[in-house]
Amino acid sequence: MPKAKKPADDDDYIDIDDAEPEGLKGADGGYAWEEEYKRSWDVIQEDASGSIQSSVLGISDQRKRKRRIRDTSIVQRGIIRHVMLVIDESESMSFKDMVPTRIHATLRLAEKFITEFFDQNPISQLSIIATKDGLAERLTELSSNPMDHINALRSKGNKDLAGEPSLQNALELGMHGLKRAPSHGLREIICVLGSLTTCDPGDIEQTLQALKQGQVRVSMVHLAAEVFVFKRICKETGGVFAVAIDEDNMKDVLFEC
Amino acid sequence: MRFFIDDLPVIFPYDYVYPEQYQYMCGLKRSLDSKGHAMLEMPSGTGKTVSLLSLIIAYQQFYPGRRKLVYCSRTVPEIDKALAELKRLMEYRQSHGCIDENFIGLGLTSRKNLCVHPRVSMERKGAVVDARCREMTASWVRNKAQSVGNIELCGYFEKLQDIESSELLPHGVYTLEDLTDYGKANGMCPYYLSRRVIPMADVIIYSFHYMLDPKVAELVSKEFEKDSIVVFDEAHNIDSICIDSLSIDINERTLRSSTASVERLGERVEEMKAQNSEKLRDEYDRLVEGLRDALAARDEDLVLSNPILPDHVLHEAVPGNIRKAEHFVRFLKRFIEYLKARMRVMHVVAETTPSFLKHIREVTYIERKPLRFCAERLASLVRTLEITDLEEYGALARVASFATLCATYDTGFMVLFEPYESDQSTIPNPVLHLACLDAAIAIKPVFQRFHTVIITSGTLSPMEMYPRMLEFAPVVQESFTMTLARQCFAPLVVTRGGDQATISSKFEVRNDPAVVRNYGNLLIEVSRVVPDGIVAFFPSYLYMESIVAMWNEKGFLTEVWKHKLIFVETPDAAETSVALQNYRAACNNGRGAVLLSVARGKVSEGIDFDHNFGRAVIMFGIPYQYTESRILKARLEFMREAHQIRENDFLTFDALRHASQCIGRVLRGKTDYGLMVLADKRYSRADKRSKLPRWISTCLTDVSTSLSTDMAIDLMRKFLKAMAQPFDLNSQLGISMWTNEHIIQHGGRGDIAATSAMEVDQAS
């Protein structure tokens, strides 16, 4: 069908006709039963109740497609990246809206992310921080060996989830780790959070100022909803804040960071 | 942007206009053209004030006859906001080539907000500021200062006397701060400056009371022309305001204080007689001749004004038995003694005003006519005796107003005496109420005097109620919905708890443990799912206290604490403002908070919870009034007889307008989003749902009525995730934001420059 004239050179043009509800087709094009376990009643409900869910997904899919066509902009990403990956281990991660629980899905995804990250940025360095119960601890030191990180994640037998995360402690710990990073590299902190609150020892405003001064870019993927202070920190440090609708979306969003 | 509505050019100070704003302006123009009254309901947070002001200013400046705009609002912050909008609008108009000559726009509030005198403005209570001001500005004080000297006058006031009215204030729009700054800079009193300039101003913004309350309206609003445009903004409670302005309560303390005041008055009369009987004699002569106090023309001297409407003031001479000052004092004493005797009765007495007056006549031989002149006579006496410190005479003024109101109005009032506060208490606390039952009494003169009165608010549904209650016939009566590119609020009606037991705040079931448990669980689940701030409203303080106590016992509050901090609104204003401050801090730094407040309290009336301060609002139950109150019962009966409004209809209407007002607090603007949870089984019924404003009820899908707690939580989660996705403002263009092309598309006229350009194009 001939489409209406598109305004020239508008990358963000959303073509409404193009929306296809991504319902039961498998993401890899295979048979539906070969896919990972999907809660099909969720999908059906989204389609029936009206436009929001399916149209939002449709729009984000279109964006994804446009992005794949475009060049990945190297300008933002830099060549040497020092990234601290913060993983939330609070009680809210035991929630079952992702299979089998949020924390399991996150850890699985983190492994994929680490592999992809070192694929795309071979001379960068990564470190993993976990936060729970009002504290933050470093799981792995800054290193460029993906297997270190993946092994640490896998061997984390201690998968106890407790209490509330402390964003301030995690950010401070991350900044401390990044101090040793040379200034010609890009300093980043990427967080995956599930909790709607944060249990902080001091004023997170000061941490924000310190982050801005140290030119650290903070990005976050949240699994539940938009929290004002999290979004603000991301915006002011020049990072990205996104809320994941489901697992596939989480993967896309995390890889964006 | 600039567009035309019919043939009127409207300058709108933003680049885009919302469709509902455009329609609102069309509706407004229709009522202005037809010179009739209008009722317009537009959702909160959609720029009502700016649309109102831009259309009316355009109308005012374009058509001949520059009709004055009188804009009435509820609170001082709202007045300030409206003035700021007006200022921005006028600047925009000027920058776009509109020449508005000699435009003056200003606001008026009490002396407390506008005084610049170093000593007087430091006083904290408004009444004290008024009294101190009068001490320095009353005409007898100034006369004495000329002859005697050594009396302190207010320099700012004096400076004002020397300047011509037309040169007082240069053109422009003045917010309250601008006015005080101007006053300070030029040494002039801002309050009296404002009062002086009002007859010449094009736009005046003040509070409802200056238009409706007979006690103050006379001072300020008597000189407006008939074709002035009167706008009541946030007018959903206007009937309560009308009723309150004509109701008086008298308790034992008032009577004690008035006895003391009368004694003092008597002493002063004796003093004055001894010193200088000239003044008293003059007053007597004037009253004999029936000259309406010419002194009353001096506004500054009018210290006590008449509590009844100007139409009902008798244009006759004051009756003989209260002309002489000492007779009047004795008259007052007798009346107060009578009231005291009545307050000793131990049972409830409810009667109409004529029967009350009859009883007075039987016992004390006080006739009706002198009672009618009571307030006026007291005012005149106070002036003659040159008393400025009216704080002490406040109680006496109340008693005099009581007498005047009783004696003037036959219908629409009720005298109610209650010996105990409630039926259960044992300590006597007798109160004598004069309750106004008819809301139309105070506002009918406004409708009759001005031929264009516009009533607007975000929650006026159901709209048939107001014209009946207030006795007027609107020419335009419309309700607008919000046009949204994405559905940014979700009203949910929760009727059952997790155990499928129904939940309700109905009086019989509210203390049922299952209901309490289900409400508790609802609060816990919502605080687990919603980020940042949640506001919860209860129908009354009593209910809130009892349910919170029960929750505390059973441990629900500790569960909520794990996710959010808890703040509570109390009847004390200072405590509540501290709670609000901390609530906002908690919402801003990731801690999250729940604010428990009451549906008829200060928070629900005035405070906005936009963006992260209010992501969800929960309305626990339906906020009905206390139905056992005798005054309410009398009012319902009156409405049934006079206006044929059923009791149930009115109670539901009143409850739902408060509920709508509460849930509307959470949405401010189109980028904001929020959840609205109505937690009561009765909301799912059609008669309640139909009374919600149109912009809310159209979003209530069948799925979202009659949910149980877990279903609601599920929907909330999905909603929050969807709302957190990035939202491009440009996608709204054409749907919820219009430019000139869209206006033309939808049948309007757009901008004449654009249309004529198009015509030229087509021609060539």
Side-chain angles (χ1 to χ4, degrees), chain B residues 41-231:
Chain B
E41 177 188 49
M42 187 147 107
S44 52
T46 49
K48 198 170 18 133
T49 312
V50 75
S51 341
L52 201 64
L53 287 173
S54 41
L55 182 86
I56 297 186
I57 301 290
Y59 196 93
Q60 190 187 57
Q61 303 295 331
F62 184 72
Y63 291 114
R66 280 176 77 146
R67 297 163 72 171
K68 209 198 275 290
L69 167 64
V70 180
Y71 183 100
C72 303
S73 190
R74 258 187 322 180
T75 60
V76 173
E78 283 181 23
I79 292 175
D80 229 0
K81 256 193 286 192
L83 282 168
E85 284 278 4
L86 182 64
K87 197 164 168 186
R88 220 189 349 247
L89 174 68
M90 295 315 288
E91 279 166 8
Y92 189 88
R93 279 177 74 97
Q94 256 187 349
S95 69
H96 278 74
C98 249
I99 311 170
D100 304 315
E101 300 170 359
N102 303 340
F103 186 86
I104 299 185
L106 73 167
L108 179 65
T109 63
S110 59
R111 285 183 178 87
K112 187 156 141 316
N113 299 321
L114 288 174
C115 183
V116 289
H117 190 277
R119 186 172 49 92
V120 176
S121 55
M122 290 293 129
E123 300 284 346
R124 256 181 285 140
K125 277 171 63 171
V128 178
V129 173
D130 285 343
R132 300 276 160 275
C133 178
R134 279 193 211 103
E135 271 172 21
M136 293 194 282
T137 58
S139 57
W140 56 85
V141 171
R142 297 174 71 237
N143 290 338
K144 219 184 337 180
Q146 282 176 359
S147 50
V148 173
N150 201 17
I151 294 186
E152 189 188 350
L153 294 177
C154 177
Y156 299 96
F157 183 75
E158 295 304 315
K159 181 96 187 285
L160 212 51
Q161 308 299 88
D162 303 328
I163 307 184
E164 275 278 320
S165 283
S166 52
E167 293 164 26
L168 277 173
L169 201 60
H171 310 303
V173 179
Y174 295 86
T175 62
L176 297 177
E177 219 178 292
D178 289 340
L179 202 59
T180 37
D181 289 339
Y182 182 81
K184 268 193 218 148
N186 294 315
M188 294 198 262
C189 176
Y191 175 74
Y192 283 108
L193 175 65
S194 181
R195 294 239 319 244
R196 279 275 200 90
V197 175
I198 277 182
M200 293 164 296
D202 290 301
V203 176
I204 299 152
I205 303 187
Y206 54 33
S207 128
F208 285 146
H209 297 282
Y210 286 110
M211 185 58 88
L212 291 175
D213 192 342
K215 294 193 275 300
V216 287
E218 269 300 275
L219 285 181
V220 180
S221 319
K222 58 183 172 206
E223 291 161 4
F224 297 147
E225 296 91 22
K226 227 174 131 36
D227 67 349
S228 309
I229 305 169
V230 178
V231 175

Side-chain angles (χ1 to χ4, degrees), chain B residues 420-640:
Chain B
Y420 299 99
E421 237 176 272
S422 61
D423 290 331
Q424 283 78 36
S425 49
T426 46
I427 306 170
N429 184 11
V431 180
L432 183 64
H433 301 279
L434 175 67
C436 176
L437 306 173
D438 188 1
I441 294 181
I443 200 172
K444 211 153 48 159
V446 175
F447 284 122
Q448 284 169 346
R449 192 170 140 205
F450 299 104
H451 49 61
T452 309
V453 176
I454 299 171
I455 294 189
T456 180
S457 162
T459 53
L460 280 179
S461 293
M463 296 185 70
E464 310 76 48
M465 210 48 112
Y466 288 93
R468 280 155 81 181
M469 273 199 310
L470 304 176
E471 290 179 25
F472 74 103
V475 162
V476 174
Q477 189 177 311
E478 290 199 36
S479 172
F480 301 107
T481 54
M482 238 195 236
T483 48
L484 298 161
R486 68 170 182 176
Q487 196 54 35
C488 61
F489 63 95
L492 305 164
V493 175
V494 178
T495 57
R496 314 192 282 285
D499 55 359
Q500 306 299 320
T502 52
I503 49 178
S504 170
S505 74
K506 222 163 139 171
F507 198 67
E508 298 83 27
V509 301
R510 54 170 63 166
N511 290 325
D512 187 20
V515 171
V516 171
R517 197 173 1 111
N518 279 328
Y519 273 145
N521 277 328
L522 178 64
L523 185 62
I524 292 174
E525 294 298 322
V526 173
S527 60
R528 196 176 281 164
V529 167
V530 175
D532 299 323
I534 301 175
V535 193
F537 288 103
F538 293 89
S540 67
Y541 280 114
L542 227 57
Y543 182 52
M544 178 168 84
E545 284 169 21
S546 75
I547 205 176
V548 169
M550 279 193 268
W551 280 346
N552 199 14
E553 270 175 61
K554 303 204 175 141
F556 289 107
L557 290 184
T558 20
E559 270 298 314
V560 178
W561 249 316
K562 288 192 199 156
H563 307 287
K564 302 228 183 282
L565 298 177
I566 304 179
F567 295 97
V568 181
E569 180 195 356
T570 57
D572 184 46
E575 268 183 353
T576 308
S577 47
V578 170
L580 268 174
Q581 235 178 336
N582 287 323
Y583 170 82
R584 282 177 203 268
C587 290
N588 271 334
N589 72 357
R591 189 61 233 150
V594 176
L595 179 67
L596 303 175
S597 52
V598 166
R600 284 163 199 272
K602 279 181 281 305
V603 165
S604 70
E605 290 288 313
I607 314 287
D608 288 339
F609 294 99
D610 52 324
H611 297 101
N612 59 312
F613 297 119
R615 280 288 175 232
V617 64
I618 310 177
M619 183 72 233
F620 284 111
I622 303 190
Y624 280 116
Q625 278 184 345
Y626 175 51
T627 42
E628 294 300 309
S629 143
R630 288 190 186 83
I631 297 182
L632 179 64
K633 282 192 189 155
R635 194 171 165 209
L636 291 171
E637 200 185 311
F638 176 81
M639 273 198 274
R640 193 185 59 224

Side-chain angles (χ1 to χ4, degrees), chain A:
Chain A
M1 189 178 356
K3 300 211 167 71
K5 61 172 175 4
K6 288 189 198 170
D9 125 314
D10 190 345
D11 277 347
D12 286 334
Y13 175 76
I14 306 286
D15 193 349
I16 313 267
D17 294 335
D18 201 17
E20 290 161 12
E22 285 256 315
L24 306 162
K25 228 197 298 201
D28 296 326
Y31 291 109
W33 63 82
E34 289 174 343
E35 280 297 309
E36 282 182 47
Y37 171 65
K38 256 197 183 106
R39 290 192 294 186
S40 53
W41 60 87
D42 260 2
V43 173
I44 291 174
Q45 188 178 27
E46 285 164 11
D47 285 339
S49 73
S51 55
I52 284 191
Q53 307 295 5
S54 54
S55 71
V56 166
L57 277 181
I59 289 175
S60 65
D61 280 338
Q62 285 177 23
R63 283 223 173 90
K64 231 192 319 170
R65 254 176 269 150
K66 295 273 189 285
R67 278 197 302 272
R68 286 202 195 116
I69 296 169
R70 231 184 344 186
D71 276 341
T72 34
S73 68
I74 314 251
V75 178
Q76 188 66 299
R77 285 168 190 268
I79 301 183
I80 305 182
R81 297 169 73 188
H82 302 277
V83 173
M84 313 295 274
L85 183 65
V86 176
I87 298 188
D88 178 7
E89 285 185 352
S90 66
E91 246 177 352
S92 55
M93 295 296 269
S94 64
F95 202 58
K96 294 190 173 53
D97 66 343
M98 298 193 182
V99 224
T101 56
R102 280 182 185 171
I103 186 71
H104 286 99
T106 310
L107 290 174
R108 265 205 311 268
L109 188 59
E111 288 182 22
K112 286 192 200 147
F113 173 74
I114 293 172
T115 333
E116 178 76 17
F117 177 75
F118 284 113
D119 258 351
Q120 297 217 354
N121 311 285
I123 45 176
S124 305
Q125 293 190 319
L126 182 73
S127 158
I128 306 186
I129 296 175
T131 163
K132 69 174 176 203
D133 226 356
L135 302 168
E137 72 168 312
R138 198 193 301 283
L139 277 182
T140 61
E141 297 291 329
L142 262 182
S143 93
S144 343
N145 186 357
M147 286 326 287
D148 278 349
H149 303 299
I150 293 179
N151 286 334
L153 283 180
R154 287 205 186 134
S155 69
K156 231 172 90 29
N158 195 7
K159 279 217 181 90
D160 296 352
L161 304 175
E164 287 182 13
S166 171
L167 187 64
Q168 189 183 16
N169 282 334
L171 291 175
E172 300 256 331
L173 192 58
M175 265 201 309
H176 187 74
L178 286 173
K179 265 200 202 116
R180 284 180 269 131
S183 56
H184 59 259
L186 203 59
R187 295 181 193 168
E188 295 180 46
I189 301 181
I190 300 181
C191 311
V192 178
L193 294 165
S195 163
L196 294 172
T197 55
T198 162
C199 181
D200 293 332
D203 189 5
I204 205 167
E205 188 66 35
Q206 289 174 343
T207 314
L208 177 58
Q209 297 309 320
L211 284 167
K212 288 208 286 203
Q213 265 182 343
Q215 291 183 324
V216 179
R217 177 176 176 261
V218 180
S219 299
M220 287 191 208
V221 176
H222 202 283
L223 303 178
E226 176 187 317
V227 181
F228 176 73
V229 67
F230 297 169
K231 186 163 184 177
R232 186 165 163 243
I233 291 179
C234 291
K235 209 161 61 155
E236 296 214 0
T237 55
V240 165
F241 178 86
V243 172
I245 300 181
D246 59 18
E247 280 194 57
D248 290 334
N249 191 243
M250 180 160 91
K251 184 168 155 201
D252 295 327
V253 163
L254 189 56
F255 282 26
E256 259 290 281
C257 284

